[in-house]
Amino acid sequence: MSVRVRFAPSPSGYLHVGGARTALFNYLFARRHGGAFVLRIEDTDLARSNDESVAAILESLRWLGLTWDEGPGVEGPHGPYFQGQRGEYYSRHAAELRARGRAYPCYCTPDELEQRRAAQLARSEAPRYDGRCRALDDAGRARLEAEGRKAALRFAKNEDGGLAWEDGVRGAVSFQNDVLDDFVLLRSDGLPTYNFACVVDDHEMEISHVIRGDDHISNTPRQLLLYRAFGWAAPHFAHVPMILGGDGSRLSKRHGATSVASYAELGYLPEAMVNFLALLGWSPGDNRELFALSELETLFGLDRCGSSPAVFNLEKLEWMNARHLKRLSEDDRVRRVEDFMAARGHDLSGRSPEWRAGLVRAIGDRLKTLKDVEFYGAFALRESLETDPQAWAELCERPGVGPRLAALAGRLASDPDFTLESLERETRGLAAEFGIKAGELMSAARVALTGRRVAPGLFEVMWLLGKDRTLERLRDAASRWQQVQTSRV
Ligand code: GLU
């Protein structure tokens, strides 16, 4: 049997990290087994679906590197890949079920259904369709149609008793069939319901394995009943456990960003995101934690997917991101920073390649996300100096700082080289002349030049600022120090 899996998002918003994890598991499963990864857009809910969501989902999947073998933009033998364009399949198969006596038109209006539902609840009964339209004969149907009612199509459920399947993640799952009713297949506007469209498409697209979140587990019995009614072989089902936030409740906006796109905006690498998502529910069986997508493609298996919920740990994602950043070649890291900054409106293309590489090198291991460049590089990226009030106040309080910074400016003004080596030599030389520790002068200069205590190394800071700005900031800090001292007396 050839492996064919699908990711079937409903385009009613961005790609959620839970959806991304489902997409990733399907993608990895397909790659591991030399199968096909199909992307199907489930856009039959016209009120909630929109083109922007489709575009956003595709973009996030591309960003993650989860290329699909069939789907939007990659036509294949089983298209179209938008449910909205597959109406003929649903009509044809609906007619087939009717012909087999396994579906019937239902003329009950939403109001009537709601009233009956309320009455059932009032009697403490589980709400379910009472089957009244199933008993209609031709004359009865004609009468209701003459009233102008439009029919939905319902499944004629015949079986009671248990239903069971061997789940790829959870093992044996059984379900009491009796709780299901004659559920709707086509709404009165002719649009298919999720369960019906899903079964028709999974069959037509020859899907071998359905890997999805376990929030869908209650749909599986209905889908299995449909496979039976059609006489089709059902795919293998595997329901992966949900993702929880740190407090043990289902991951939601309360826990922070939930869209893949926002992690891209926060400066996470797709490599880290993929690695992190893979470990939400799957484990390699040893203690390794860092994986490239290509490695995951050879290692992933449902047998190592756990059935208990996975916890989304942001600190771990951050740690992974720092590790993946470190794994990149310097050129690649610089390029990622440039692209990230460009997307945020900071065009670094006017700077020399050496400068851009120098900035990234200066930030070094402080870089946990690409966004950190904005913080650690702010001193050089922004025209004006933003100061940490506490660090700045302390600088202005410290005895002797003003004259020393002014002297440093004077000394560096006559340094023709302005290289990391010459800057270090001159600064240390001056500290020695003052008879103070080099570190003392350097920490004051660092605050003067970056406005902060936490910043890249001083000589790199000077080099990145360039001579003019370095001298200007040193002199400026010296005169601010002077002002504070003068206002004291
Ligand atoms: N459109 C459904 C969803 O987004 C797909 C569920 C499934 O994979 O069957 O949740």
Side-chain angles (χ1 to χ4, degrees):
M1 179 189 57
S2 66
V3 164
R4 290 180 55 83
V5 292
R6 85 307 192 267
F7 175 53
S10 304
S12 56
Y14 51 72
L15 182 65
H16 187 276
V17 290
R21 197 262 316 248
T22 301
L24 174 64
F25 281 16
N26 278 285
Y27 168 90
L28 293 175
F29 189 79
R31 292 290 168 269
R32 169 78 195 277
H33 296 284
F37 173 53
V38 178
L39 177 60
R40 180 172 79 222
I41 306 295
E42 303 209 326
D43 56 352
T44 57
D45 185 342
L46 299 180
R48 299 181 61 214
S49 303
N50 58 67
D51 293 346
E52 296 75 58
S53 300
V54 174
I57 290 168
L58 301 191
E59 191 186 326
S60 287
L61 290 172
R62 288 197 187 102
W63 181 77
L64 290 167
L66 308 184
T67 43
W68 49 98
D69 305 306
E70 292 170 35
V74 194
E75 290 318 310
H78 300 277
Y81 296 95
F82 285 81
Q83 287 191 327
Q85 297 166 19
R86 298 178 61 81
E88 61 183 280
Y89 291 93
Y90 312 131
S91 320
R92 178 149 50 83
H93 289 300
E96 189 183 327
L97 279 188
R98 267 199 87 171
R100 289 170 178 241
R102 295 307 310 270
Y104 61 89
C106 167
Y107 298 88
C108 301
T109 64
D111 281 350
E112 288 166 347
L113 293 170
E114 186 45 46
Q115 276 170 24
R116 280 179 239 151
R117 190 185 139 82
Q120 285 172 334
L121 286 172
R123 293 193 299 270
S124 306
E125 290 171 17
R128 60 212 305 268
Y129 181 61
D130 59 11
R132 70 178 62 191
C133 287
R134 193 168 179 167
L136 289 173
D137 56 14
D138 285 349
R141 281 195 276 271
R143 185 174 42 76
L144 291 168
E145 271 168 31
E147 284 178 19
R149 293 180 182 240
K150 286 192 86 66
L153 189 73
R154 283 188 186 270
F155 180 58
K157 191 191 75 138
N158 290 342
E159 41 284 270
D160 276 329
L163 248 181
W165 73 91
E166 189 59 30
D167 194 280
V169 170
R170 307 181 140 226
V173 179
S174 58
F175 198 88
Q176 278 310 311
N177 225 328
D178 329 25
V179 300
L180 301 178
D181 62 1
D182 287 354
F183 53 91
V184 174
L185 304 175
L186 295 179
R187 297 191 187 88
S188 59
D189 58 7
L191 288 172
T193 56
Y194 155 69
N195 280 309
F196 182 58
C198 180
V199 167
V200 167
D201 288 343
D202 285 342
H203 171 74
E204 287 287 346
M205 295 180 175
E206 296 178 30
I207 297 303
S208 61
H209 295 74
V210 169
I211 305 168
R212 60 186 172 198
D214 66 5
D215 48 333
H216 282 289
I217 206 155
S218 61
N219 287 315
T220 306
R222 289 184 183 82
Q223 297 184 5
L224 285 170
L225 288 180
L226 282 170
Y227 282 103
R228 270 198 209 163
F230 277 117
W232 295 337
H236 297 286
F237 288 96
H239 292 92
V240 289
M242 60 178 160
I243 302 176
L244 305 180
D247 60 359
S249 69
R250 199 189 178 105
L251 186 69
S252 74
K253 286 208 175 115
R254 281 186 304 117
H255 301 105
T258 53
S259 73
V260 169
S262 39
Y263 285 96
E265 279 161 28
L266 288 167
Y268 289 90
L269 299 180
E271 287 93 333
M273 204 67 208
V274 156
N275 189 162
F276 177 72
L277 291 173
L279 296 180
L280 287 179
W282 173 78
S283 102
D286 55 32
N287 294 331
R288 265 188 75 190
E289 291 199 284
L290 292 179
F291 297 94
L293 182 62
S294 56
E295 292 174 280
L296 294 167
E297 288 174 16
T298 65
L299 295 171
F300 181 82
L302 291 174
D303 51 333
R304 301 216 68 91
C305 287
S307 56
S308 45
V311 177
F312 191 96
N313 178 343
L314 195 55
E315 279 165 27
K316 180 139 184 199
L317 173 58
E318 200 170 274
W319 172 82
M320 262 180 194
N321 204 59
R323 298 301 301 265
H324 278 280
L325 271 166
K326 255 181 111 114
R327 283 175 141 201
L328 299 177
S329 67
E330 185 175 280
D331 283 354
D332 200 1
R333 198 176 315 127
V334 173
R335 192 175 51 76
R336 307 285 185 115
V337 165
E338 286 165 9
D339 292 349
F340 177 80
M341 296 297 279
R344 298 174 63 82
H346 300 283
D347 186 3
L348 299 184
S349 62
R351 312 280 193 162
S352 70
E354 294 75 32
W355 191 91
R356 286 176 273 169
L359 175 67
V360 175
R361 211 176 299 137
I363 297 171
D365 288 351
R366 295 176 191 86
L367 198 68
K368 302 272 190 287
T369 68
L370 296 170
K371 201 170 187 306
D372 289 337
V373 171
E374 290 179 342
F375 178 80
Y376 291 110
F379 71 93
L381 294 167
R382 297 183 189 211
E383 263 323 302
S384 59
L385 181 68
E386 283 174 14
T387 53
D388 162 8
Q390 216 189 329
W392 195 258
E394 210 179 283
L395 182 80
C396 294
E397 298 288 333
R398 223 184 296 160
V401 157
R404 286 176 199 155
L405 291 179
L408 183 59
R411 183 135 178 172
L412 298 183
S414 51
D415 172 11
D417 302 336
F418 222 77
T419 60
L420 296 183
E421 295 74 27
S422 70
L423 291 166
E424 175 158 11
R425 191 182 57 233
E426 296 305 322
T427 308
R428 289 187 186 280
L430 183 69
E433 281 171 25
F434 275 119
I436 57 170
K437 284 196 182 129
E440 207 180 323
L441 180 61
M442 284 166 62
S443 68
R446 200 200 301 226
V447 176
L449 295 175
T450 68
R452 299 190 179 128
R453 254 175 309 222
V454 184
L458 178 65
F459 310 115
E460 286 160 307
V461 164
M462 290 173 167
W463 183 82
L464 287 163
L465 283 172
K467 195 167 188 170
D468 291 349
R469 282 213 284 172
T470 298
L471 301 186
E472 191 188 311
R473 286 189 187 179
L474 288 173
R475 289 181 179 136
D476 190 45
S479 67
R480 303 256 298 260
W481 180 89
Q482 195 58 56
Q483 280 165 25
V484 171
Q485 303 299 317
T486 326
S487 66
R488 284 278 160 76
V489 279

